[in-house]
């Protein structure tokens, strides 16, 4: 079984529609794919309709903050209509719009006049985010390609036009996902300095009901994978993996990293109730 538990569509910041993601998943020979868009389940219905031979796992990647740092929490199998979870998702979504508008304003102050309407048009039905702003910047000629927006000069974390956003406490995120019948997996804890999660922090999250930790991720070195595997084993967490495919926004490709079948079954068995 080939299982990729971390994939994005244009329902958040990926470039491909959910149906196209599922078509590519089949071409990549995947058996199971979790669509894990940022803070939204808006792509799931289209993905389900286009799943074909691929088993679609409903998922989401929740934006959290721990001790002042950004942290991502993958969630699977939850009921998105559970009232508390649905209210929290609405709050995150509303805040993303306010935040994107604030970044567009800051860019204008730096001489990059892209206009909110253009950013909103690029985002379309998707949850608006920095990649949409980056594409508007490239279209305006301010930068040569969208990737160039993600520097300290522009909208990278801490950049001149960056604006912080509302984010969940990860223990609360775990509680919400569990209350909605799902399981939570800490995403890419060792992918980069800005989102580094320490052993101590992972240990604390494990005590609050975390089910797993993402070990097999393209941004995590072999050395960090080995450390995470040992920690996961010590804390009895499931070690998962996924490609973090974002379509043409990044070079990560569906099936580039996978979750072992045994880990997948273990994760399924940890659903509450
Ligand atoms: Zn992430
Ligand atoms: Zn992701």
């Amino acid at each position: 079984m080939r299982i990729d538990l971390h994939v994005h569509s244009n329902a958040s910041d990926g470039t491909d529609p959910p149906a196209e993601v599922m078509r590519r998943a089949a071409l990549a020979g995947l058996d199971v794919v979790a669509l894990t868009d940022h803070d939204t389940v808006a792509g799931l219905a289209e993905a389900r309709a286009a799943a074909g031979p691929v088993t679609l796992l409903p998922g989401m990647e929740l934006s959290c903050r721990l001790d002042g740092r950004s942290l991502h929490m993958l969630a699977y199998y939850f009921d998105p209509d559970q009232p508390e979870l649905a209210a929290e998702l609405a709050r995150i979504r509303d805040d993303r719009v306010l935040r994107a508008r604030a970044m567009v304003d800051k860019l204008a102050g730096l001489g990059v006049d892209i206009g909110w309407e253009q950013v909103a048009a690029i985002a379309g039905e998707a949850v608006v985010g920095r990649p949409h702003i980056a594409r508007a910047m490239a279209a305006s000629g301010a930068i040569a390609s969208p990737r160039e927006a993600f520097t300290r000069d522009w909208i990278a974390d801490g950049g001149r036009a960056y604006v912080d956003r509302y984010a969940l406490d990860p223990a609360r995120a775990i509680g919400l996902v569990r209350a909605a019948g799902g399981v939570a997996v800490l995403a890419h804890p060792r992918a980069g300095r800005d989102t580094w999660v320490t052993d101590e922090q992972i240990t604390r999250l494990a005590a609050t009901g975390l089910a797993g930790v993402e070990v097999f991720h393209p941004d995590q070195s072999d050395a960090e994978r080995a450390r995470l595997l040992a920690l996961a084993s010590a804390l009895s967490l499931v070690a998962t993996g996924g490609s973090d495919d974002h379509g043409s926004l990044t070079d990560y490709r569906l099936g580039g990293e996978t979750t072992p079948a045994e880990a997948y079954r273990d994760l399924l068995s940890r659903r509450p109730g």
Side-chain angles (χ1 to χ4, degrees):
M1 278 226 288
R2 298 195 70 226
I3 302 156
D4 187 338
L5 294 186
H6 192 159
V7 175
H8 296 273
S9 76
N10 67 0
S12 64
D13 59 352
T15 56
D16 293 343
E20 171 65 10
V21 171
M22 297 313 288
R23 196 188 64 81
R24 286 203 292 117
L27 284 175
L30 288 164
D31 300 294
V32 180
V33 164
L35 188 66
T36 53
D37 278 307
H38 297 283
D39 306 310
T40 183
V41 292
L44 287 177
E46 181 184 323
R48 194 173 291 117
V54 181
T55 298
L56 174 74
L57 204 64
M60 185 165 59
E61 186 172 14
L62 284 165
S63 308
C64 301
R65 192 174 294 127
L66 180 61
D67 302 334
R69 281 180 164 196
S70 157
L71 175 154
H72 289 173
M73 188 69 70
L74 292 161
Y76 306 103
Y77 316 119
F78 54 88
D79 170 12
D81 296 326
Q82 199 269 349
E84 227 187 322
L85 181 60
E88 207 51 61
L89 288 178
R91 182 172 174 186
I92 292 169
R93 229 170 6 248
D94 292 349
D95 178 76
R96 284 182 85 114
V97 175
L98 294 174
R99 172 193 185 230
R101 293 193 83 122
M103 283 192 278
V104 168
D105 289 346
K106 277 195 168 186
L107 284 168
L110 295 168
V112 179
D113 208 359
I114 49 176
W116 174 249
E117 293 71 25
Q118 197 188 345
V119 175
I122 290 170
E125 295 293 303
V127 177
V128 67
R130 283 185 285 178
H132 307 118
I133 296 173
R135 281 158 63 189
M137 288 173 71
S140 78
I143 51 176
S145 79
R147 287 182 201 209
E148 289 179 21
F150 292 90
T151 66
R152 295 254 164 178
D153 280 345
W154 304 116
I155 55 173
D157 288 5
R160 294 186 300 166
Y162 177 75
V163 177
D164 231 342
R165 66 164 173 244
Y166 170 69
L168 280 166
D169 173 75
R172 175 161 157 73
I174 292 167
L176 284 169
V177 170
R178 284 177 58 84
V183 291
V185 172
L186 178 62
H188 50 67
R190 303 289 158 84
R193 284 174 112 193
D194 291 340
T195 57
W196 199 267
V197 189
T198 66
D199 284 9
E200 290 69 29
Q201 288 171 323
I202 296 173
T203 304
R204 266 193 280 147
L205 293 175
T208 67
L210 185 69
V213 59
E214 189 178 43
V215 173
F216 311 104
H217 182 279
D219 289 340
Q220 292 182 159
S221 69
D222 288 346
E224 284 309 328
R225 291 175 192 212
R227 286 190 196 103
L228 285 171
L229 274 177
L231 186 66
S233 162
L235 296 172
S236 173
L237 295 171
V238 181
T240 72
S243 62
D244 214 353
D245 183 301
H246 279 75
S248 58
L249 183 69
T250 65
D251 295 326
Y252 307 152
R253 283 296 161 263
L254 279 163
E257 301 284 352
T258 55
T259 296
E262 198 178 321
Y264 174 62
R265 280 190 290 270
D266 191 1
L267 192 65
L268 279 170
S269 75
R270 298 201 186 203
R271 279 174 289 183

